[in-house]
Amino acid sequence: MTSTDSAQKAPAKDPWDLPDVSGLVVGVLGGTGPQGKGLAYRLARAGQKVIIGSRVAERAQGAAEELGHGVEGADNAECARRSDIVIVAVPWEGHGKTLESLREELTGKLVVDCVNPLGFDKQGAYALKPEEGSAAEQAAALLPDSRVTAAFHHLSAVLLQDPEIEEIDTDVMVLGEERADVEMVQALAGRIPGMRGVFSGRLRNAHQVESLVANLISVNRRYKAHAGLRVTDV
């Protein structure tokens, strides 16, 4: 058997063989808002070292004290500098300006964008389409020296922040350009009991993932629920 034959017959990598991310520091920009605070709480409760960021350090520190579990608070720049993985959970209105101001601090970092560009009117929530195609693609354009992924869009902030709930029954759709980066985010999602990260394509497919939140809001309103997603047969 030639070396070429051997290489061709090497077993495919198990897609569920994910890296150990338990020792990494996770920063959450927008960590004083409902989604960011909920994610910070769940990750810290699972044993992850978490720093939440805000434009005002004192606000972040106050929120961190409320959360406990070793969470620290800092201004956005310090949060970005001190973290290995940075989750972007800021309001859509401030998304571009926030990331542009942190380009230097986010250089070389794994960035996870979970922002959903939405509008609201009397008929409910509806998706907005950024010029770049999606919030994640806007992040990638503004942070050329960062490794940008997209994930954590479809999580209920109410469930995330409820200390009585032990497990969050949902899948997390993870998008990105590099397999290693996507797998790190999948592994991070899997740190939260009940959650699973599922590879869902490249960043060019982020718009429909972000947009789906408008549908989930409609589901929640009709059924008085906190709906999530499960991907079947994987």
Side-chain angles (χ1 to χ4, degrees):
M1 180 184 292
T2 66
S3 59
T4 303
D5 292 333
S6 177
Q8 287 175 342
K9 293 183 180 181
K13 183 179 184 296
D14 180 354
W16 297 111
D17 180 16
L18 301 173
D20 179 7
V21 296
S22 60
L24 299 181
V25 178
V26 178
V28 184
L29 303 179
T32 58
Q35 195 81 352
K37 199 172 181 181
L39 274 170
Y41 171 67
R42 286 291 158 180
L43 289 168
R45 181 168 157 170
Q48 206 77 32
K49 174 60 188 172
V50 177
I51 303 170
I52 59 175
S54 177
R55 285 177 298 175
V56 180
E58 290 77 15
R59 188 177 174 200
Q61 290 159 359
E65 286 178 17
E66 286 177 34
L67 293 176
H69 297 281
V71 176
E72 292 184 48
D75 64 44
N76 282 331
E78 183 183 345
C79 173
R81 272 195 302 269
R82 291 178 56 196
S83 302
D84 302 302
I85 300 176
V86 179
I87 297 173
V88 181
V90 299
W92 167 240
E93 294 73 22
H95 182 264
K97 182 179 279 189
T98 299
L99 295 184
E100 202 169 17
S101 71
L102 296 171
R103 183 177 294 170
E104 183 179 338
E105 289 83 0
L106 291 171
T107 293
K109 306 285 184 178
L110 176 53
V111 174
V112 188
D113 202 297
C114 70
V115 175
N116 303 304
L118 297 175
F120 295 87
D121 60 19
K122 290 181 180 178
Q123 294 181 328
Y126 60 94
L128 303 174
K129 188 156 189 180
E131 185 179 338
E132 298 85 354
S134 64
E137 288 169 293
Q138 183 183 87
L142 291 171
L143 304 172
D145 299 316
S146 303
R147 295 138 53 211
V148 176
T149 61
F152 300 117
H153 301 89
H154 306 135
L155 307 180
S156 163
V158 173
L159 298 184
L160 288 173
Q161 294 185 80
D162 188 341
E164 299 300 314
I165 293 175
E166 296 293 329
E167 296 189 0
I168 307 291
D169 179 24
T170 193
D171 283 335
V172 172
M173 301 179 82
V174 185
L175 303 96
E177 299 303 316
E178 299 295 334
R179 180 165 182 167
D181 294 338
V182 169
E183 289 182 347
M184 287 180 70
V185 181
Q186 287 181 264
L188 187 65
R191 296 273 291 153
I192 300 173
M195 225 177 259
R196 182 180 67 157
V198 179
F199 169 66
S200 302
R202 293 178 177 269
L203 286 187
R204 69 181 184 180
N205 293 321
H207 172 64
Q208 57 263 39
V209 173
E210 296 169 2
S211 300
L212 191 56
V213 174
N215 302 89
L216 289 177
I217 289 172
S218 297
V219 170
N220 290 338
R221 286 181 174 173
R222 174 63 62 88
Y223 298 103
K224 305 292 189 289
H226 301 292
L229 294 179
R230 279 291 187 201
V231 180
T232 61
D233 201 33
V234 292

